[in-house]
């Protein structure tokens, strides 16, 4: 069964450093998402991406964040200068655009735990 | 404003007992509703979804949920809980808005503990 994959599973970085979180969405999917979950809190939407551009972003997704689909398979989230409060689990998700109810489902990756020290 | 409320932060049930996890939502358009489960250190697995039609939906692992528009609720149920059901459960709402990405809005989550 196709699945969303994410690398690395755990990333430790120092405050102020840049990090890139990588995701490989399901191959025929066209919508891509990043969510984050701070420890003990709910999952929060960060950004959605379609047709090579951001379709929606949350207030959390400020100028320190960027997303990119550099090739036909990867989808990345970059944090330019990490802060302590960026420590969280980051989930990538993807969704198809086919007709039918399958087009409404988002498939989540296993997440990348980011620890900023 | 769009929101999802899961009133119960933590629930403990005995193995074999029935389970109901509550979810209430506020959404301006036609909602699409989901329940996800997250085991410790794992990602989010979709249990079931509601888009339209029959308001009682069946999911994986013996779970079901009932959509009640009048109560803005989408409660998750299971008739007999197994120890392996211990996990965190998230209710989420989304909508198919073609000029936007269809983000999901999650509730706070309910942590389920199962006692022998």
């Amino acid at each position: 069964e196709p699945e969303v994959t994410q690398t690395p599973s755990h990333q430790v970085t120092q405050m102020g450093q840049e990090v890139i979180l990588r995701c490989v969405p399901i191959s025929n999917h066209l919508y891509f998402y990043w969510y984050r979950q701070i420890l003990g809190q709910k999952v929060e939407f960060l950004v959605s991406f379609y047709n090579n551009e951001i379709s929606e972003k949350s207030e959390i997704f400020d100028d320190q964040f960027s997303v990119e689909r550099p090739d036909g398979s990867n989808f990345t989230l970059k944090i330019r200068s990490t802060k302590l409060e960026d420590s969280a689990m980051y989930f990538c998700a993807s969704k198809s655009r086919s007709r039918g109810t399958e087009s409404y489902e988002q498939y989540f990756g296993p997440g990348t735990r980011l620890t900023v020290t | 404003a769009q929101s999802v409320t899961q009133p119960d932060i933590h629930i403990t049930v005995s193995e074999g007992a029935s389970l109901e996890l509550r979810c209430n939502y506020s959404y301006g358009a036609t909602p699409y509703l989901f329940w996800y489960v997250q085991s410790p250190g794992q990602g989010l697995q979709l249990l079931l979804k509601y888009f339209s039609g029959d308001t009682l939906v069946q999911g994986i692992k013996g779970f079901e949920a009932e959509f009640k528009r009048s109560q803005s609720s989408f409660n998750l149920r299971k008739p007999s809980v197994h120890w392996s059901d211990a996990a965190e459960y998230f209710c989420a709402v989304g909508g198919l808005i073609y000029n936007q990405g269809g983000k999901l809005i999650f509730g706070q989550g309910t942590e389920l503990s199962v006692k022998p």
Side-chain angles (χ1 to χ4, degrees):
Chain A
E1 185 176 327
E3 58 182 17
V4 177
T5 59
Q6 291 185 242
T7 54
S9 57
H10 191 188
Q11 173 97 43
V12 181
T13 189
Q14 289 188 327
M15 197 167 50
Q17 295 297 302
E18 175 184 286
V19 294
I20 297 176
L21 309 183
R22 292 183 166 80
C23 168
V24 179
I26 295 173
S27 62
N28 64 344
H29 284 188
L30 298 177
Y31 287 95
F32 313 109
Y33 306 84
W34 284 101
Y35 294 82
R36 79 172 185 190
Q37 184 184 30
I38 295 172
L39 188 64
Q41 299 186 23
K42 65 180 176 182
V43 178
E44 301 173 289
F45 167 77
L46 291 178
V47 65
S48 59
F49 191 86
Y50 171 70
N51 200 26
N52 280 320
E53 60 183 22
I54 291 173
S55 48
E56 189 177 4
K57 60 183 181 180
S58 71
E59 292 178 353
I60 303 167
F61 194 88
D62 61 22
D63 292 343
Q64 292 300 311
F65 291 88
S66 63
V67 289
E68 193 176 39
R69 188 155 163 83
D71 52 42
S73 59
N74 290 284
F75 179 52
T76 61
L77 174 69
K78 183 195 293 186
I79 309 175
R80 288 190 183 80
S81 178
T82 51
K83 308 182 190 70
L84 293 176
E85 54 264 36
D86 293 328
S87 294
M89 180 75 92
Y90 288 81
F91 292 107
C92 173
S94 69
K95 180 166 74 79
S96 76
R97 196 170 178 260
S98 59
R99 290 187 181 277
T101 59
E102 294 78 16
S103 66
Y104 306 152
E105 288 184 36
Q106 292 185 26
Y107 293 81
F108 283 78
T112 293
R113 179 164 298 286
L114 177 65
T115 302
V116 182
T117 62
Chain B
Q2 303 166 351
S3 66
V4 177
T5 302
Q6 293 179 245
D8 304 305
I9 303 295
H10 191 189
I11 283 182
T12 299
V13 300
S14 298
E15 191 168 17
S18 63
L19 170 71
E20 182 169 26
L21 303 183
R22 295 183 290 164
C23 172
N24 293 96
Y25 68 89
S26 172
Y27 197 75
T30 302
Y32 301 106
L33 295 154
F34 308 84
W35 275 98
Y36 285 86
V37 61
Q38 183 183 33
S39 297
Q42 303 298 309
L44 297 164
Q45 182 182 22
L46 181 66
L47 280 177
L48 47 74
K49 58 189 182 283
Y50 171 79
F51 302 124
S52 63
D54 192 348
T55 56
L56 184 63
V57 293
Q58 303 297 320
I60 62 171
K61 305 184 181 185
F63 286 91
E64 66 178 26
E66 186 171 13
F67 171 59
K68 292 185 178 179
R69 185 183 298 275
S70 61
Q71 298 177 18
S72 297
S73 70
F74 188 57
N75 294 348
L76 181 71
R77 301 195 294 249
K78 186 170 185 178
S80 177
V81 169
H82 188 261
W83 64 266
S84 60
D85 293 324
E88 185 134 28
Y89 291 80
F90 291 94
C91 180
V93 65
L96 190 61
I97 303 170
Y98 285 101
N99 62 343
Q100 293 182 5
K103 69 183 179 189
L104 292 179
I105 299 164
F106 285 84
Q108 286 286 115
T110 297
E111 185 179 353
L112 174 66
S113 297
V114 181
K115 59 183 181 183

